[in-house]
Amino acid sequence: MDSDISFILNHLGEDRSQYFNAIAPPLIQTSNFALNTVDELRNAFQNEMDGYIYSRGLNPTVDILRKKLAALDGAEDCLLFNSGIAAIYAGVLANVKAGDHILSIKRPYSWVQHLFDKILPRFGIVTTYIDGTNIENFERGILPNTTFIYLESPNSWFFDLQDITAVAELARAEGIVTMIDNSHATPLNQRPIEMGIDLVMQTATKYIGGHSDTLGGVLCGSAAMMRKIFTSEYLCVGSGMQPFNAWLLLRGLRTFTARLEKINASTLEMWMFLKNHPLVEDVLFPLDPDFPQYELAKKQMKTCPGLVSFFLKLDTVDAIENFCNRLKHIKMAVSWGGYESLLLPKCASFPRNEFNPENKEHRMCRLYIGLEEPPFLQEDINQALRNL
Protein backbone atom coordinates (compact mmCIF):
# COMPACT_ATOMS: atom_id res chain seq x y z
CA MET A 1 0.00 0.00 0.00
CA ASP A 2 2.84 2.42 0.82
CA SER A 3 4.32 1.94 -2.65
CA ASP A 4 0.87 2.54 -4.15
CA ILE A 5 0.56 5.80 -2.22
CA SER A 6 4.03 6.89 -3.35
CA PHE A 7 3.04 6.25 -6.97
CA ILE A 8 -0.27 8.10 -6.57
CA LEU A 9 1.25 11.18 -4.93
CA ASN A 10 4.24 11.49 -7.24
CA HIS A 11 3.29 10.02 -10.62
CA LEU A 12 -0.35 9.11 -11.21
CA GLY A 13 -2.08 11.34 -13.76
CA GLU A 14 1.11 13.14 -14.75
CA ASP A 15 2.25 12.86 -18.37
CA ARG A 16 5.39 14.97 -18.19
CA SER A 17 6.16 14.43 -21.86
CA GLN A 18 3.18 16.64 -22.59
CA TYR A 19 4.69 19.61 -20.76
CA PHE A 20 8.41 19.73 -21.52
CA ASN A 21 9.28 17.01 -18.93
CA ALA A 22 8.72 19.53 -16.15
CA ILE A 23 8.76 17.90 -12.69
CA ALA A 24 5.95 20.10 -11.37
CA PRO A 25 2.78 19.99 -13.47
CA PRO A 26 1.83 23.25 -15.20
CA LEU A 27 -0.94 25.57 -14.11
CA ILE A 28 -3.33 25.62 -17.09
CA GLN A 29 -4.92 28.93 -16.21
CA THR A 30 -7.44 29.16 -19.04
CA SER A 31 -11.18 29.69 -19.11
CA ASN A 32 -11.85 27.79 -22.34
CA PHE A 33 -10.30 25.53 -24.98
CA ALA A 34 -10.25 25.76 -28.75
CA LEU A 35 -11.61 22.91 -30.90
CA ASN A 36 -10.29 22.15 -34.39
CA THR A 37 -13.51 21.21 -36.19
CA VAL A 38 -17.23 21.74 -35.89
CA ASP A 39 -17.63 18.01 -35.31
CA GLU A 40 -15.21 18.13 -32.34
CA LEU A 41 -17.15 21.07 -30.93
CA ARG A 42 -20.44 19.22 -31.40
CA ASN A 43 -19.08 16.17 -29.56
CA ALA A 44 -17.76 18.35 -26.75
CA PHE A 45 -21.19 19.94 -26.29
CA GLN A 46 -22.83 16.53 -26.15
CA ASN A 47 -20.47 15.08 -23.55
CA GLU A 48 -18.51 17.69 -21.64
CA MET A 49 -17.05 15.17 -19.19
CA ASP A 50 -15.04 13.44 -21.90
CA GLY A 51 -12.97 16.41 -23.05
CA TYR A 52 -11.98 20.00 -22.48
CA ILE A 53 -14.23 22.83 -23.55
CA TYR A 54 -14.67 25.21 -20.61
CA SER A 55 -12.87 25.27 -17.25
CA ARG A 56 -16.10 25.47 -15.31
CA GLY A 57 -16.22 21.76 -16.15
CA LEU A 58 -12.90 20.01 -16.78
CA ASN A 59 -9.39 21.46 -16.75
CA PRO A 60 -6.04 19.61 -17.21
CA THR A 61 -4.51 20.84 -13.92
CA VAL A 62 -7.64 19.96 -12.00
CA ASP A 63 -7.78 16.55 -13.71
CA ILE A 64 -4.33 15.56 -12.42
CA LEU A 65 -5.53 16.19 -8.88
CA ARG A 66 -8.85 14.40 -9.57
CA LYS A 67 -7.07 11.22 -10.59
CA LYS A 68 -4.81 11.24 -7.55
CA LEU A 69 -7.57 11.84 -5.02
CA ALA A 70 -9.87 9.23 -6.55
CA ALA A 71 -7.05 6.69 -6.32
CA LEU A 72 -6.29 7.59 -2.69
CA ASP A 73 -9.92 6.93 -1.79
CA GLY A 74 -10.05 3.73 -3.84
CA ALA A 75 -12.86 5.26 -5.91
CA GLU A 76 -13.62 5.04 -9.61
CA ASP A 77 -13.82 8.79 -10.04
CA CYS A 78 -13.74 12.11 -8.26
CA LEU A 79 -15.05 15.66 -8.61
CA LEU A 80 -13.35 18.69 -7.09
CA PHE A 81 -15.12 21.73 -5.68
CA ASN A 82 -14.20 25.16 -4.36
CA SER A 83 -14.96 24.08 -0.77
CA GLY A 84 -16.04 21.09 1.26
CA ILE A 85 -19.60 22.33 1.72
CA ALA A 86 -19.92 22.82 -2.06
CA ALA A 87 -19.03 19.13 -2.50
CA ILE A 88 -21.62 18.10 0.11
CA TYR A 89 -24.25 20.39 -1.43
CA ALA A 90 -23.82 18.85 -4.89
CA GLY A 91 -23.73 15.28 -3.57
CA VAL A 92 -26.93 15.74 -1.57
CA LEU A 93 -28.86 17.71 -4.21
CA ALA A 94 -28.05 15.11 -6.87
CA ASN A 95 -29.67 12.36 -4.82
CA VAL A 96 -32.83 13.82 -3.28
CA LYS A 97 -36.11 15.11 -4.65
CA ALA A 98 -39.23 16.79 -3.26
CA GLY A 99 -40.87 14.68 -0.57
CA ASP A 100 -37.75 12.68 0.31
CA HIS A 101 -36.44 12.01 3.81
CA ILE A 102 -32.79 12.30 4.90
CA LEU A 103 -31.31 10.51 7.90
CA SER A 104 -28.35 12.37 9.42
CA ILE A 105 -26.12 12.00 12.43
CA LYS A 106 -26.85 14.60 15.11
CA ARG A 107 -24.77 17.78 15.30
CA PRO A 108 -23.33 17.67 11.77
CA TYR A 109 -21.07 20.42 10.44
CA SER A 110 -22.95 23.72 10.86
CA TRP A 111 -23.40 24.43 7.14
CA VAL A 112 -24.62 20.89 6.52
CA GLN A 113 -27.24 21.47 9.20
CA HIS A 114 -28.14 24.77 7.52
CA LEU A 115 -28.66 22.89 4.24
CA PHE A 116 -30.84 20.30 5.97
CA ASP A 117 -32.81 22.74 8.14
CA LYS A 118 -33.14 25.90 6.03
CA ILE A 119 -32.73 25.11 2.32
CA LEU A 120 -34.07 21.62 1.67
CA PRO A 121 -37.34 22.07 3.64
CA ARG A 122 -38.32 24.69 1.03
CA PHE A 123 -38.62 21.75 -1.38
CA GLY A 124 -40.42 19.40 0.97
CA ILE A 125 -37.31 17.46 2.02
CA VAL A 126 -37.22 16.59 5.72
CA THR A 127 -34.18 15.53 7.79
CA THR A 128 -34.18 13.44 10.96
CA TYR A 129 -31.13 13.63 13.25
CA ILE A 130 -30.09 10.56 15.20
CA ASP A 131 -27.37 9.40 17.56
CA GLY A 132 -25.23 7.61 15.00
CA THR A 133 -23.17 5.71 17.54
CA ASN A 134 -25.83 2.96 17.61
CA ILE A 135 -26.75 1.10 14.40
CA GLU A 136 -30.24 0.45 15.81
CA ASN A 137 -30.97 4.18 15.55
CA PHE A 138 -30.40 3.96 11.80
CA GLU A 139 -32.67 0.93 11.55
CA ARG A 140 -35.43 2.71 13.47
CA GLY A 141 -34.91 6.02 11.63
CA ILE A 142 -35.41 4.75 8.08
CA LEU A 143 -38.81 5.69 6.62
CA PRO A 144 -40.44 4.54 3.37
CA ASN A 145 -39.29 7.80 1.72
CA THR A 146 -35.71 7.81 3.10
CA THR A 147 -33.33 8.20 0.16
CA PHE A 148 -30.15 9.57 1.73
CA ILE A 149 -28.01 8.94 4.84
CA TYR A 150 -25.34 11.44 5.92
CA LEU A 151 -22.41 10.45 8.16
CA GLU A 152 -19.39 12.12 9.80
CA SER A 153 -16.99 9.63 11.34
CA PRO A 154 -15.29 10.89 13.39
CA ASN A 155 -16.95 14.26 13.64
CA SER A 156 -14.75 17.23 14.43
CA TRP A 157 -15.63 18.11 18.07
CA PHE A 158 -16.81 15.06 20.02
CA PHE A 159 -15.36 12.50 17.56
CA ASP A 160 -18.52 10.39 17.51
CA LEU A 161 -18.12 7.38 15.23
CA GLN A 162 -20.56 5.38 13.16
CA ASP A 163 -20.14 1.71 12.30
CA ILE A 164 -19.51 2.52 8.65
CA THR A 165 -19.76 -1.02 7.27
CA ALA A 166 -22.99 -1.73 9.13
CA VAL A 167 -24.63 1.50 7.98
CA ALA A 168 -23.53 0.93 4.38
CA GLU A 169 -24.95 -2.61 4.37
CA LEU A 170 -28.24 -1.41 5.84
CA ALA A 171 -28.54 1.46 3.35
CA ARG A 172 -27.70 -0.69 0.35
CA ALA A 173 -30.36 -3.23 1.31
CA GLU A 174 -32.90 -0.38 1.41
CA GLY A 175 -31.71 1.33 -1.80
CA ILE A 176 -30.50 4.41 0.11
CA VAL A 177 -27.54 6.53 -0.99
CA THR A 178 -24.87 7.11 1.68
CA MET A 179 -22.40 9.97 2.09
CA ILE A 180 -19.64 10.41 4.67
CA ASP A 181 -17.44 13.35 5.60
CA ASN A 182 -14.01 11.73 5.91
CA SER A 183 -12.07 14.97 6.48
CA HIS A 184 -10.85 14.05 9.96
CA ALA A 185 -9.46 10.60 9.22
CA THR A 186 -8.41 11.23 5.57
CA PRO A 187 -8.11 8.34 3.07
CA LEU A 188 -4.70 7.50 4.53
CA ASN A 189 -6.38 6.34 7.73
CA GLN A 190 -9.92 5.35 6.75
CA ARG A 191 -11.34 3.99 3.47
CA PRO A 192 -15.14 4.33 3.45
CA ILE A 193 -15.47 3.33 -0.23
CA GLU A 194 -14.08 -0.11 0.68
CA MET A 195 -16.65 -0.29 3.50
CA GLY A 196 -19.53 0.25 1.06
CA ILE A 197 -20.20 4.00 1.25
CA ASP A 198 -21.44 5.59 -1.99
CA LEU A 199 -20.06 9.13 -1.65
CA VAL A 200 -16.95 10.11 0.31
CA MET A 201 -16.23 13.77 0.92
CA GLN A 202 -13.17 15.43 2.41
CA THR A 203 -12.15 19.05 2.63
CA ALA A 204 -8.94 19.48 0.66
CA THR A 205 -8.61 22.78 2.53
CA LYS A 206 -7.24 20.82 5.46
CA TYR A 207 -4.68 18.00 5.17
CA ILE A 208 -4.49 17.86 1.37
CA GLY A 209 -3.45 21.51 1.10
CA GLY A 210 -1.61 21.57 4.41
CA HIS A 211 -0.55 25.22 4.21
CA SER A 212 -3.76 27.12 5.06
CA ASP A 213 -3.62 29.01 1.79
CA THR A 214 -6.38 27.51 -0.36
CA LEU A 215 -9.84 25.95 -0.19
CA GLY A 216 -11.16 22.79 -1.79
CA GLY A 217 -13.70 20.01 -1.55
CA VAL A 218 -13.35 16.41 -2.75
CA LEU A 219 -16.23 14.11 -3.66
CA CYS A 220 -15.41 10.51 -4.61
CA GLY A 221 -17.60 7.64 -5.75
CA SER A 222 -18.51 5.48 -8.70
CA ALA A 223 -17.96 6.70 -12.25
CA ALA A 224 -21.72 6.65 -12.84
CA MET A 225 -22.43 8.73 -9.73
CA MET A 226 -19.73 11.27 -10.59
CA ARG A 227 -21.07 11.62 -14.14
CA LYS A 228 -24.59 12.08 -12.78
CA ILE A 229 -23.44 14.90 -10.50
CA PHE A 230 -21.14 16.46 -13.13
CA THR A 231 -23.82 16.78 -15.80
CA SER A 232 -26.28 18.44 -13.44
CA GLU A 233 -25.37 20.01 -10.09
CA TYR A 234 -21.64 20.45 -10.82
CA LEU A 235 -22.03 22.34 -14.08
CA CYS A 236 -25.23 24.13 -13.12
CA VAL A 237 -24.10 25.52 -9.76
CA GLY A 238 -20.62 26.32 -11.08
CA SER A 239 -18.81 25.45 -7.86
CA GLY A 240 -15.99 23.46 -9.47
CA MET A 241 -12.41 23.95 -8.35
CA GLN A 242 -10.28 26.58 -10.07
CA PRO A 243 -6.96 25.60 -11.71
CA PHE A 244 -4.78 27.65 -9.35
CA ASN A 245 -6.38 26.04 -6.29
CA ALA A 246 -5.77 22.61 -7.81
CA TRP A 247 -2.15 23.51 -8.50
CA LEU A 248 -1.66 24.54 -4.85
CA LEU A 249 -3.30 21.32 -3.67
CA LEU A 250 -1.05 19.24 -5.91
CA ARG A 251 1.90 20.90 -4.22
CA GLY A 252 0.46 20.12 -0.80
CA LEU A 253 -0.25 16.53 -1.76
CA ARG A 254 3.48 15.82 -2.32
CA THR A 255 4.13 16.05 1.43
CA PHE A 256 0.79 14.59 2.56
CA THR A 257 2.14 11.39 4.13
CA ALA A 258 5.16 13.07 5.75
CA ARG A 259 3.00 15.75 7.36
CA LEU A 260 0.42 13.24 8.60
CA GLU A 261 3.12 11.04 10.15
CA LYS A 262 4.56 14.01 12.04
CA ILE A 263 1.14 15.30 13.10
CA ASN A 264 0.07 11.85 14.26
CA ALA A 265 3.16 11.40 16.44
CA SER A 266 2.72 14.86 17.95
CA THR A 267 -1.00 14.26 18.56
CA LEU A 268 -0.23 11.21 20.69
CA GLU A 269 2.17 13.28 22.80
CA MET A 270 -0.27 16.16 23.21
CA TRP A 271 -3.13 13.79 24.09
CA MET A 272 -1.09 12.34 26.97
CA PHE A 273 0.05 15.79 28.07
CA LEU A 274 -3.55 17.06 28.26
CA LYS A 275 -4.82 13.86 29.85
CA ASN A 276 -2.36 14.31 32.74
CA HIS A 277 -2.67 18.09 33.11
CA PRO A 278 -4.01 19.20 36.53
CA LEU A 279 -6.28 21.86 35.00
CA VAL A 280 -7.85 19.51 32.44
CA GLU A 281 -10.91 17.61 33.60
CA ASP A 282 -11.32 15.27 30.64
CA VAL A 283 -9.96 14.61 27.14
CA LEU A 284 -11.66 13.30 24.00
CA PHE A 285 -9.52 11.37 21.52
CA PRO A 286 -10.77 8.33 19.55
CA LEU A 287 -7.64 6.25 20.17
CA ASP A 288 -7.73 6.83 23.93
CA PRO A 289 -8.62 3.48 25.59
CA ASP A 290 -11.08 5.45 27.74
CA PHE A 291 -12.93 6.75 24.67
CA PRO A 292 -16.41 5.15 24.53
CA GLN A 293 -15.93 3.91 20.95
CA TYR A 294 -12.26 2.99 21.22
CA GLU A 295 -12.69 -0.53 19.79
CA LEU A 296 -14.62 0.76 16.77
CA ALA A 297 -12.02 3.48 16.22
CA LYS A 298 -9.23 0.87 16.16
CA LYS A 299 -11.26 -1.28 13.75
CA GLN A 300 -12.07 1.48 11.25
CA MET A 301 -9.02 3.76 11.38
CA LYS A 302 -5.27 3.26 11.18
CA THR A 303 -4.56 6.45 13.13
CA CYS A 304 -6.50 9.58 14.06
CA PRO A 305 -4.17 12.57 13.72
CA GLY A 306 -4.49 16.20 14.56
CA LEU A 307 -7.50 16.84 16.80
CA VAL A 308 -7.95 16.49 20.56
CA SER A 309 -10.82 18.04 22.53
CA PHE A 310 -10.49 18.78 26.23
CA PHE A 311 -12.51 20.23 29.11
CA LEU A 312 -10.88 22.78 31.41
CA LYS A 313 -11.23 22.83 35.19
CA LEU A 314 -12.05 26.53 35.06
CA ASP A 315 -15.39 27.72 36.38
CA THR A 316 -15.69 31.21 34.85
CA VAL A 317 -15.84 32.40 31.29
CA ASP A 318 -13.23 35.04 32.19
CA ALA A 319 -10.72 32.36 33.16
CA ILE A 320 -11.31 30.37 29.97
CA GLU A 321 -11.04 33.47 27.81
CA ASN A 322 -7.88 34.55 29.63
CA PHE A 323 -6.34 31.16 28.89
CA CYS A 324 -7.18 31.47 25.21
CA ASN A 325 -6.06 35.09 24.96
CA ARG A 326 -2.74 34.39 26.67
CA LEU A 327 -1.61 31.77 24.18
CA LYS A 328 1.46 33.07 22.37
CA HIS A 329 2.04 30.50 19.64
CA ILE A 330 -1.13 28.42 19.32
CA LYS A 331 -3.49 30.51 17.22
CA MET A 332 -7.22 30.84 17.75
CA ALA A 333 -8.97 29.87 14.52
CA VAL A 334 -11.43 27.49 12.92
CA SER A 335 -10.49 24.59 10.64
CA TRP A 336 -7.42 22.36 10.91
CA GLY A 337 -4.95 20.48 8.74
CA GLY A 338 -2.35 23.21 8.16
CA TYR A 339 1.18 23.52 9.46
CA GLU A 340 0.09 25.70 12.40
CA SER A 341 -1.48 24.55 15.66
CA LEU A 342 -4.90 26.01 16.46
CA LEU A 343 -7.27 26.31 19.41
CA LEU A 344 -11.04 26.69 19.16
CA PRO A 345 -12.92 27.38 22.43
CA LYS A 346 -16.58 26.33 22.57
CA CYS A 347 -17.49 29.42 24.58
CA ALA A 348 -16.91 31.57 21.48
CA SER A 349 -20.03 30.06 19.93
CA PHE A 350 -22.52 31.62 22.38
CA PRO A 351 -22.96 34.94 24.32
CA ARG A 352 -20.80 35.36 27.43
CA ASN A 353 -23.82 35.78 29.71
CA GLU A 354 -25.02 32.28 28.80
CA PHE A 355 -21.90 30.61 30.19
CA ASN A 356 -22.74 27.85 32.65
CA PRO A 357 -19.80 26.13 34.42
CA GLU A 358 -22.07 23.16 35.16
CA ASN A 359 -22.40 22.57 31.43
CA LYS A 360 -19.26 20.67 30.54
CA GLU A 361 -19.50 21.72 26.90
CA HIS A 362 -19.09 25.36 27.87
CA ARG A 363 -15.60 24.55 29.20
CA MET A 364 -14.59 22.69 26.06
CA CYS A 365 -11.70 23.53 23.74
CA ARG A 366 -10.54 21.79 20.58
CA LEU A 367 -6.82 21.67 19.87
CA TYR A 368 -5.41 21.03 16.43
CA ILE A 369 -1.78 19.88 16.55
CA GLY A 370 0.25 21.12 13.60
CA LEU A 371 3.91 20.69 12.72
CA GLU A 372 5.43 22.41 15.75
CA GLU A 373 7.30 20.29 18.31
CA PRO A 374 5.12 19.08 21.22
CA PRO A 375 7.32 20.65 23.99
CA PHE A 376 6.91 24.02 22.27
CA LEU A 377 3.11 23.64 22.33
CA GLN A 378 3.06 22.26 25.86
CA GLU A 379 5.00 25.24 27.20
CA ASP A 380 2.58 27.60 25.50
CA ILE A 381 -0.41 25.90 27.13
CA ASN A 382 1.33 25.83 30.52
CA GLN A 383 2.21 29.50 30.47
CA ALA A 384 -1.34 30.42 29.41
CA LEU A 385 -2.82 28.38 32.28
CA ARG A 386 -0.29 29.56 34.87
CA ASN A 387 -1.88 31.47 37.78
CA LEU A 388 -5.42 30.94 36.51
Side-chain angles (χ1 to χ4, degrees), residues 274-300:
L274 290 168
K275 195 173 176 68
N276 294 312
H277 199 286
L279 288 181
V280 173
E281 177 184 328
D282 196 9
V283 174
L284 292 178
F285 178 58
L287 295 180
D288 184 338
D290 294 329
F291 188 73
Q293 295 179 285
Y294 172 66
E295 293 300 330
L296 182 60
K298 284 199 305 177
K299 174 186 173 184
Q300 294 186 161

Short mmCIF file of all heavy atoms in Angstrom, two decimals, residues 274-300:
data_model
loop_
_atom_site.label_atom_id
_atom_site.label_comp_id
_atom_site.label_asym_id
_atom_site.label_seq_id
_atom_site.Cartn_x
_atom_site.Cartn_y
_atom_site.Cartn_z
N LEU A 274 -2.28 16.50 27.81
CA LEU A 274 -3.55 17.06 28.26
C LEU A 274 -4.25 16.12 29.23
O LEU A 274 -4.86 16.56 30.22
CB LEU A 274 -4.45 17.35 27.06
CG LEU A 274 -4.00 18.51 26.16
CD1 LEU A 274 -4.79 18.49 24.85
CD2 LEU A 274 -4.16 19.85 26.88
N LYS A 275 -4.15 14.84 28.98
CA LYS A 275 -4.82 13.86 29.85
C LYS A 275 -4.26 13.91 31.27
O LYS A 275 -5.00 13.62 32.24
CB LYS A 275 -4.64 12.46 29.25
CG LYS A 275 -5.56 11.39 29.81
CD LYS A 275 -5.42 10.10 29.03
CE LYS A 275 -6.26 8.98 29.63
NZ LYS A 275 -7.71 9.21 29.48
N ASN A 276 -3.00 14.29 31.42
CA ASN A 276 -2.36 14.31 32.74
C ASN A 276 -2.23 15.72 33.31
O ASN A 276 -1.63 15.90 34.37
CB ASN A 276 -0.97 13.69 32.64
CG ASN A 276 -1.03 12.20 32.31
OD1 ASN A 276 -1.79 11.47 32.94
ND2 ASN A 276 -0.26 11.76 31.32
N HIS A 277 -2.81 16.72 32.63
CA HIS A 277 -2.67 18.09 33.11
C HIS A 277 -3.63 18.35 34.28
O HIS A 277 -4.81 17.98 34.22
CB HIS A 277 -2.96 19.08 31.98
CG HIS A 277 -2.41 20.44 32.24
ND1 HIS A 277 -2.98 21.31 33.15
CD2 HIS A 277 -1.34 21.08 31.71
CE1 HIS A 277 -2.27 22.43 33.17
NE2 HIS A 277 -1.27 22.32 32.32
N PRO A 278 -3.16 18.99 35.35
CA PRO A 278 -4.01 19.20 36.53
C PRO A 278 -5.20 20.11 36.29
O PRO A 278 -6.17 20.07 37.05
CB PRO A 278 -3.04 19.80 37.56
CG PRO A 278 -1.91 20.35 36.75
CD PRO A 278 -1.77 19.46 35.57
N LEU A 279 -5.16 20.96 35.27
CA LEU A 279 -6.28 21.86 35.00
C LEU A 279 -7.17 21.36 33.86
O LEU A 279 -8.02 22.11 33.37
CB LEU A 279 -5.76 23.27 34.67
CG LEU A 279 -5.19 24.04 35.87
CD1 LEU A 279 -4.72 25.43 35.44
CD2 LEU A 279 -6.24 24.18 36.97
N VAL A 280 -6.98 20.11 33.46
CA VAL A 280 -7.85 19.51 32.44
C VAL A 280 -8.69 18.41 33.10
O VAL A 280 -8.15 17.48 33.68
CB VAL A 280 -7.01 18.93 31.27
CG1 VAL A 280 -7.91 18.15 30.31
CG2 VAL A 280 -6.30 20.06 30.53
N GLU A 281 -9.99 18.56 32.98
CA GLU A 281 -10.91 17.61 33.60
C GLU A 281 -11.03 16.31 32.80
O GLU A 281 -11.08 15.22 33.36
CB GLU A 281 -12.29 18.25 33.74
CG GLU A 281 -13.36 17.34 34.32
CD GLU A 281 -14.73 18.00 34.34
OE1 GLU A 281 -14.79 19.24 34.51
OE2 GLU A 281 -15.73 17.29 34.19
N ASP A 282 -11.08 16.44 31.48
CA ASP A 282 -11.32 15.27 30.64
C ASP A 282 -10.79 15.56 29.23
O ASP A 282 -10.67 16.73 28.83
CB ASP A 282 -12.81 14.95 30.58
CG ASP A 282 -13.10 13.55 30.06
OD1 ASP A 282 -12.13 12.77 29.92
OD2 ASP A 282 -14.27 13.25 29.80
N VAL A 283 -10.49 14.49 28.50
CA VAL A 283 -9.96 14.61 27.14
C VAL A 283 -10.74 13.66 26.23
O VAL A 283 -11.09 12.55 26.62
CB VAL A 283 -8.45 14.24 27.09
CG1 VAL A 283 -7.94 14.21 25.66
CG2 VAL A 283 -7.64 15.23 27.91
N LEU A 284 -11.03 14.13 25.01
CA LEU A 284 -11.66 13.30 24.00
C LEU A 284 -10.67 13.05 22.86
O LEU A 284 -10.16 13.99 22.25
CB LEU A 284 -12.91 13.97 23.44
CG LEU A 284 -14.11 14.13 24.37
CD1 LEU A 284 -15.25 14.86 23.67
CD2 LEU A 284 -14.59 12.77 24.90
N PHE A 285 -10.42 11.77 22.60
CA PHE A 285 -9.52 11.37 21.52
C PHE A 285 -9.88 9.93 21.15
O PHE A 285 -9.88 9.05 22.02
CB PHE A 285 -8.06 11.47 21.98
CG PHE A 285 -7.06 11.03 20.96
CD1 PHE A 285 -6.99 11.63 19.70
CD2 PHE A 285 -6.16 10.00 21.24
CE1 PHE A 285 -6.06 11.21 18.76
CE2 PHE A 285 -5.22 9.59 20.30
CZ PHE A 285 -5.18 10.19 19.06
N PRO A 286 -10.25 9.65 19.90
CA PRO A 286 -10.77 8.33 19.55
C PRO A 286 -9.87 7.16 19.88
O PRO A 286 -10.36 6.05 20.11
CB PRO A 286 -11.02 8.44 18.04
CG PRO A 286 -11.25 9.89 17.81
CD PRO A 286 -10.34 10.60 18.77
N LEU A 287 -8.55 7.36 19.89
CA LEU A 287 -7.64 6.25 20.17
C LEU A 287 -7.18 6.22 21.63
O LEU A 287 -6.21 5.55 21.96
CB LEU A 287 -6.45 6.30 19.22
CG LEU A 287 -6.82 6.08 17.74
CD1 LEU A 287 -5.60 6.14 16.85
CD2 LEU A 287 -7.56 4.76 17.55
N ASP A 288 -7.90 6.93 22.48
CA ASP A 288 -7.73 6.83 23.93
C ASP A 288 -8.51 5.60 24.40
O ASP A 288 -9.70 5.47 24.09
CB ASP A 288 -8.29 8.10 24.58
CG ASP A 288 -8.09 8.14 26.09
OD1 ASP A 288 -7.90 7.06 26.71
OD2 ASP A 288 -8.13 9.24 26.65
N PRO A 289 -7.88 4.66 25.11
CA PRO A 289 -8.62 3.48 25.59
C PRO A 289 -9.85 3.83 26.41
O PRO A 289 -10.76 2.99 26.53
CB PRO A 289 -7.57 2.73 26.43
CG PRO A 289 -6.26 3.13 25.81
CD PRO A 289 -6.44 4.57 25.40
N ASP A 290 -9.90 5.04 26.98
CA ASP A 290 -11.08 5.45 27.74
C ASP A 290 -12.18 6.02 26.85
O ASP A 290 -13.29 6.31 27.35
CB ASP A 290 -10.69 6.51 28.79
CG ASP A 290 -9.77 5.95 29.86
OD1 ASP A 290 -9.89 4.74 30.16
OD2 ASP A 290 -8.94 6.70 30.40
N PHE A 291 -11.91 6.22 25.58
CA PHE A 291 -12.93 6.75 24.67
C PHE A 291 -14.03 5.71 24.49
O PHE A 291 -13.76 4.52 24.31
CB PHE A 291 -12.28 7.08 23.31
CG PHE A 291 -13.19 7.81 22.36
CD1 PHE A 291 -13.52 9.14 22.56
CD2 PHE A 291 -13.72 7.15 21.25
CE1 PHE A 291 -14.35 9.81 21.67
CE2 PHE A 291 -14.55 7.80 20.36
CZ PHE A 291 -14.87 9.14 20.58
N PRO A 292 -15.31 6.13 24.56
CA PRO A 292 -16.41 5.15 24.53
C PRO A 292 -16.42 4.23 23.31
O PRO A 292 -16.87 3.10 23.39
CB PRO A 292 -17.67 6.04 24.56
CG PRO A 292 -17.22 7.33 25.17
CD PRO A 292 -15.79 7.51 24.75
N GLN A 293 -15.92 4.72 22.18
CA GLN A 293 -15.93 3.91 20.95
C GLN A 293 -14.51 3.52 20.52
O GLN A 293 -14.24 3.37 19.33
CB GLN A 293 -16.63 4.69 19.83
CG GLN A 293 -18.11 4.96 20.08
CD GLN A 293 -18.71 5.74 18.94
OE1 GLN A 293 -18.48 6.94 18.81
NE2 GLN A 293 -19.49 5.07 18.10
N TYR A 294 -13.67 3.30 21.49
CA TYR A 294 -12.26 2.99 21.22
C TYR A 294 -12.10 1.77 20.31
O TYR A 294 -11.32 1.80 19.35
CB TYR A 294 -11.55 2.77 22.55
CG TYR A 294 -10.13 2.26 22.44
CD1 TYR A 294 -9.13 3.04 21.87
CD2 TYR A 294 -9.80 0.98 22.92
CE1 TYR A 294 -7.83 2.57 21.78
CE2 TYR A 294 -8.49 0.51 22.83
CZ TYR A 294 -7.52 1.31 22.26
OH TYR A 294 -6.22 0.84 22.16
N GLU A 295 -12.84 0.70 20.58
CA GLU A 295 -12.69 -0.53 19.79
C GLU A 295 -13.11 -0.30 18.34
O GLU A 295 -12.47 -0.80 17.41
CB GLU A 295 -13.50 -1.66 20.41
CG GLU A 295 -12.98 -2.14 21.76
CD GLU A 295 -11.55 -2.67 21.69
OE1 GLU A 295 -11.17 -3.20 20.63
OE2 GLU A 295 -10.83 -2.56 22.70
N LEU A 296 -14.18 0.45 18.13
CA LEU A 296 -14.62 0.76 16.77
C LEU A 296 -13.61 1.65 16.07
O LEU A 296 -13.33 1.47 14.88
CB LEU A 296 -16.00 1.43 16.79
CG LEU A 296 -16.61 1.77 15.42
CD1 LEU A 296 -16.79 0.51 14.57
CD2 LEU A 296 -17.94 2.50 15.60
N ALA A 297 -13.04 2.60 16.80
CA ALA A 297 -12.02 3.48 16.22
C ALA A 297 -10.83 2.66 15.74
O ALA A 297 -10.31 2.88 14.63
CB ALA A 297 -11.58 4.53 17.24
N LYS A 298 -10.36 1.72 16.56
CA LYS A 298 -9.23 0.87 16.16
C LYS A 298 -9.58 0.02 14.94
O LYS A 298 -8.73 -0.23 14.08
CB LYS A 298 -8.83 -0.05 17.32
CG LYS A 298 -8.06 0.63 18.43
CD LYS A 298 -7.32 -0.40 19.26
CE LYS A 298 -8.23 -1.48 19.81
NZ LYS A 298 -7.48 -2.52 20.58
N LYS A 299 -10.82 -0.42 14.86
CA LYS A 299 -11.26 -1.28 13.75
C LYS A 299 -11.31 -0.50 12.44
O LYS A 299 -10.93 -1.02 11.39
CB LYS A 299 -12.63 -1.86 14.09
CG LYS A 299 -13.27 -2.66 12.96
CD LYS A 299 -14.68 -3.08 13.34
CE LYS A 299 -15.41 -3.72 12.16
NZ LYS A 299 -16.83 -4.05 12.51
N GLN A 300 -11.79 0.73 12.48
CA GLN A 300 -12.07 1.48 11.25
C GLN A 300 -10.93 2.38 10.78
O GLN A 300 -10.85 2.70 9.60
CB GLN A 300 -13.33 2.35 11.43
CG GLN A 300 -14.59 1.55 11.61
CD GLN A 300 -15.86 2.39 11.64
OE1 GLN A 300 -16.95 1.87 11.43
NE2 GLN A 300 -15.75 3.67 11.92
#
